[in-house]
Amino acid sequence: MAETYHDTDVLVMGGGGAGFRAAIEAAHSGVHVTLVSKGPLARSGASPMAGADFTLDGTSMNELGREGDVNDSKEKVFNDIVTQGWYLNNQKLVGQYVDTAKSQLADLMEWGIDITLSDQRAIFTSGTGIMDVLLKKARAVGVELLEDVSILELMKTDGRIAGALGLDVRTGEFIRFRAGAVVIASGGWHKAFWPNTGMRDLSGDGIAAAFRAGADIGNMEFITFCCNVFYAPPIWRGSLAPYILSLVCGGRMSDRNGDDLLSGFDPVLQQKGVLTEWNKSFLSYVSTLAAREGRALENGGIHYSRGDVDWGFMQMVGGVIFPNWKYKAIDFSTWAEKLEKNEPVEVGPAVEYFDGGIVVGDRFETTVPGLYAAGEAALGAFGANRVFSAVTEMLVQGRDAGRFSAEFAKAKKAPEPKRDAFREAEERACAPLSCTGGENPPAVRRNIQEAAHRRLGPIRSEGELTAFIGMLEDVQKNVLSNLSVSYTGRTYNKEWFDALELRNIVELLLVSAKSARLRTESRGVHFREDFPHTDNDAWLCETIVSRGEDAIAFSSRPVTVPHMTPPRGKTPYLEMMKTLMEAHSDTGGKH
C-alpha cells in the first residue's frame, strides 16, 4: 500500500468545542493547522449533545450585556469551583477558567452565538449552536478540516512529538501525519460504559494514545455520573431529558417499593442535591445506594415522577426546554402524558463526564514535548467533582492550548517521524483483519461496558474493583490479540473500528479501576463503601499514572493550592458534602 503523508504545523485531534477552539487560535498565530474529527464535522463527540450552559461570574455577564448577578464576582466563582471540587482542583487552572471566561464568551457573541436565556451566572444556548459558530469561524481562518479520520497512535522522534498515524474511517486507508505539535482534544471515554450519556464515538483514543506516547495521566478514578437519565424504554435509554427537567422543576424519586428515595437525608442535601448541579454526585450516589440495597427496578434504576410539582408549571418548563416535547431528535410526547398523570418512568445514573485526564501544565503542555491537551481529555480545573460548566472549560482551555502549541511549532523545527514506527503501528492495527476464529469485538465491548457500569460506578469497594481489574487484565492478556471480524474489508468496517477502540477502552478502565482501588477514601464522585470518610490528611493529593518501559507506575503529587487552603482531618462523606454545599457563595442559580 502506498505511503500517504500529510504535513502540518499543528495537528488537532478532536472535533468538539475544545478542538475547534484550539484550531482557530493556532491558525490566528499564522501556522498551518489541521483538525481531524473522528465523525462528521461539528456533529460528533459530546459537544453537540450539550444543553448547553456557559458559566462565568454574573458581573462579567452584565458587562457583556447579559443579565447576571451584579453582586457576583470572579472570587466567588473561584471559591465555589474549589469547594465543589472537594479541594482537589488545580487552582492555577481554576484561575485560568475564571479569568478568561468573559473574553471567551465575548468571542462567541461576536461570532454570532444564539443565547436563549440567562441566570445569575450562566448563559444558555445549544451544543449544536456552539459547534456551528466554531465550524464557520474555523473555515474563515483557514483551518484544514478532515472528518471521519481517527488518530490511532502518536509518533515521537528523539523524545518529542513528530506526528501521528490516522485512519480514514470511510476508506480504511492510513494517513501518516507529520506535525510540529499535536493538541489532544478528543474528549472523554464514555464508550467504556453502558449506559452512557455521550456520543458513541468517545472511546478515549486521545488519552490512551498520549499515555502510550509517555504523557502522564491523573485522577482517573473520578468519573461523574449524571443522575435521572432514562433507563427505559430502550429508545430513550441514555437521554438526559429527565435530568434537565428534574433540575429545573424537582419532582419525586422513589424506589421499587414506592418509598421516597430522599427520606432520611439531611435537608441541606435534599435541597442543594436536587435543585443545583450538585445533583449529579448526590443523586447518583443515592440511586446507586438504593440499587445495592435491592430496591432498584427491572433495569437497575429508580422511579421519577412529577410528585407534588404542579403540572402547569412543569408543562410550561418542558415546553420551553423541549419544544413540542422533542429533544435531540427524540419524541417525548408519551412521557409528557405520563407526567401529567403523575405516572413514573425509570431513570438512573449514567456516565457523563471524566474529571481526570492527561496531566497538563500552565500552558496546557503535557510531559511529552510538543504534545498539548485541552478540555475533557485533560486533567482540568474541577478536582473531584464538577458543578460548573464543561462548555466553558473546553473553550477557555482550547484557546490557550491552541496558542501555546502554535508557539511551540513555530519555535522548534519538527523532527521527521520514523517510518518503521508508522509501519509497526499499521501492522498492529490490521491484525484483527487477518485473525480467524477469534472473539467478536462488539460482544466483548458490551460485556466490558456493563461490567464497568456495575463495578466502577458511583459506589465502589475493594472486592468489586479487584474482580473488575482481574477481568480486564484477562481481556488485555488473552482477548485483545485474538479479536477477529466477520468482514475483512477495510471500507467502513465497524467491527474493525470496535477492535481498535477496545485497546484504548481496556487500558483506561484498568488505570481508572486501579486508581480507584488505590484511593482509600471517599471524595467527590468517588465513594468507597469500605472507606466512607473524606481523608484530608492522607488523600489531599492527585493520583498520577506514568508509563515506564516495562510497567505502569502509580504515584501521587500534592494538589496545587496557591490561593485557598484546604481543611484537614477525616470527615464522613455526606457530612463533608453538606459542609461543601454550605460553603457556596451567596450567588444563586444552578451552579
Side-chain angles (χ1 to χ4, degrees), residues 95 149 243 254 265 274 327 354 525 534 539:
V149 173
Y243 159 74
S254 56
F265 285 97
V274 173
Y327 183 65
F354 297 86
V525 293
T534 300
W539 281 106

Side-chain angles (χ1 to χ4, degrees), residues 235-286:
I235 195 172
W236 295 350
R237 194 171 174 86
S239 171
L240 293 167
Y243 159 74
I244 298 170
L245 195 65
S246 63
L247 175 62
V248 178
C249 299
R252 185 171 190 267
M253 283 145 278
S254 56
D255 63 17
R256 64 183 302 166
N257 304 316
D259 295 331
D260 190 329
L261 211 65
L262 300 179
S263 176
F265 285 97
D266 187 279
V268 172
L269 295 173
Q270 290 195 37
Q271 197 272 329
K272 297 280 187 181
V274 173
L275 296 178
T276 74
E277 294 215 17
W278 270 98
N279 60 358
K280 292 179 182 176
S281 54
F282 175 65
L283 288 181
S284 292
Y285 163 82
V286 172

Side-chain angles (χ1 to χ4, degrees), residues 375-487:
E376 194 173 358
L379 173 54
F382 297 120
N385 179 46
R386 180 181 69 80
V387 175
F388 265 65
S389 169
V391 170
T392 305
E393 176 199 41
M394 73 182 185
L395 294 170
V396 298
Q397 291 193 0
R399 183 178 67 175
D400 282 3
R403 176 158 58 94
F404 292 126
S405 64
E407 289 179 5
F408 183 93
K410 285 197 292 187
K412 300 179 185 296
K413 186 177 184 299
E416 184 70 18
K418 297 174 182 175
R419 295 179 68 180
D420 286 348
F422 276 125
R423 192 175 301 114
E424 289 171 8
E426 289 164 358
E427 289 174 357
R428 188 165 53 246
C430 288
L433 298 175
S434 57
C435 179
T436 57
E439 303 264 7
N440 175 256
V444 174
R445 170 174 52 78
R446 179 49 58 92
N447 190 35
I448 291 173
Q449 288 174 315
E450 293 179 348
H453 182 78
R454 292 193 306 272
R455 305 300 193 192
L456 201 53
I459 299 180
R460 295 108 179 239
S461 71
E462 179 164 356
E464 291 171 325
L465 290 168
T466 299
F468 186 46
I469 290 167
M471 170 192 172
L472 292 169
E473 288 178 335
D474 179 65
V475 171
Q476 194 173 53
K477 181 179 179 182
N478 301 312
V479 178
L480 292 185
S481 60
N482 190 37
L483 295 172
S484 62
V485 296
S486 55
Y487 162 62

Side-chain angles (χ1 to χ4, degrees), residues 3-30:
E3 298 173 351
T4 302
Y5 283 89
H6 191 112
D7 294 325
T8 189
D9 295 316
V10 174
L11 176 67
V12 178
M13 176 183 180
F20 268 94
R21 194 61 190 87
I24 291 167
E25 198 66 18
H28 275 308
S29 300

Side-chain angles (χ1 to χ4, degrees), residues 476 514 546-553:
Q476 194 173 53
K514 289 183 177 180
S546 306
R547 192 184 192 89
E549 288 293 328
D550 302 317
I552 292 172

